[in-house]
Amino acid sequence: MAAAMGSALLLMVVRFSRGKKANAAREAELTSVEADLSALHAAILPLAERDAQGFEPVAAAYGLPRATPAEQAAREAAIRAGLVEAMVVPFESLRLIQRALATVLPVADCANRSIVSDLAAGATLLRAAAEIALLNLRINVSLAGEGDDVLASARSMREDVVRQHAALCAAADRLLAPG
């Protein structure tokens, strides 16, 4: 939900920046960014529901019988498989968050001063969502005992998100500076 709110704020900033005299020379770039960001936002919107649904097999596996060694083994295998599958949405979330921030970064300086707080707020919500996605991946990898490669890739994406967030907040600060 944080990613959906963050991407919606960034999309609003881009839409509000289009058609302004100060951005006339960059209208085509803003139009392209709006289209790309709109598609990313549409992909982000269903992630919360997909994440909840993705954990259902894990919850069901924890309820499996475990009276015999065979049942215990089947239960553990089902839990592990469910946890691995539950990594898909947080990983995809990170990927989409990273792309959304990268998409808006080149046009951040087009944001109107009256909406620049939404630029920083959207970036901050996306960074928070990235941190949450990474936490979810870390716990799933820890419990499943596998997925270290996924976690390494996710950490790299999160570091990129941190850099992009810092750059967008710096752009907001520049736009808010007097003069």
Side-chain angles (χ1 to χ4, degrees):
M1 294 308 296
M5 290 174 60
S7 62
L9 284 171
L10 293 184
L11 188 55
M12 181 180 71
V13 169
V14 171
R15 286 179 175 155
F16 188 81
S17 301
R18 290 194 51 227
K20 305 292 185 214
K21 189 185 319 184
N23 295 329
R26 299 183 65 193
E27 186 65 25
E29 183 181 11
L30 284 163
T31 300
S32 176
V33 166
E34 180 184 359
D36 292 346
L37 200 52
S38 184
L40 289 166
H41 178 65
I44 288 170
L45 281 174
L47 290 175
E49 181 62 30
R50 284 184 49 216
D51 191 45
Q53 291 171 350
F55 197 75
E56 288 172 5
V58 178
Y62 276 114
L64 291 174
R66 53 185 166 169
T68 67
E71 288 176 342
Q72 290 170 5
R75 179 179 178 269
E76 289 303 315
I79 290 170
R80 191 170 28 264
L83 289 167
V84 169
E85 186 61 31
M87 292 180 210
V88 170
V89 173
F91 189 83
E92 183 179 348
S93 298
L94 269 166
R95 184 182 59 77
L96 291 169
I97 289 164
Q98 180 188 34
R99 287 182 53 204
L101 290 168
T103 298
V104 78
L105 193 55
V107 297
D109 60 328
C110 292
N112 186 289
R113 193 165 197 244
S114 66
I115 200 167
V116 74
S117 62
D118 295 302
L119 175 68
T124 299
L125 282 165
L126 286 168
R127 178 177 174 176
E131 297 293 345
I132 292 164
L134 183 61
L135 286 169
N136 287 335
L137 282 167
R138 287 179 61 200
I139 191 64
N140 288 345
V141 167
S142 173
L143 292 172
E146 59 184 276
D148 289 337
D149 54 335
V150 170
L151 190 55
S153 183
R155 283 185 169 134
S156 176
M157 283 189 283
R158 193 275 312 266
E159 290 307 313
D160 198 32
V161 165
V162 168
R163 283 189 294 277
Q164 293 166 331
H165 171 258
L168 285 166
C169 287
D173 284 343
R174 283 189 302 277
L175 289 165
L176 285 173

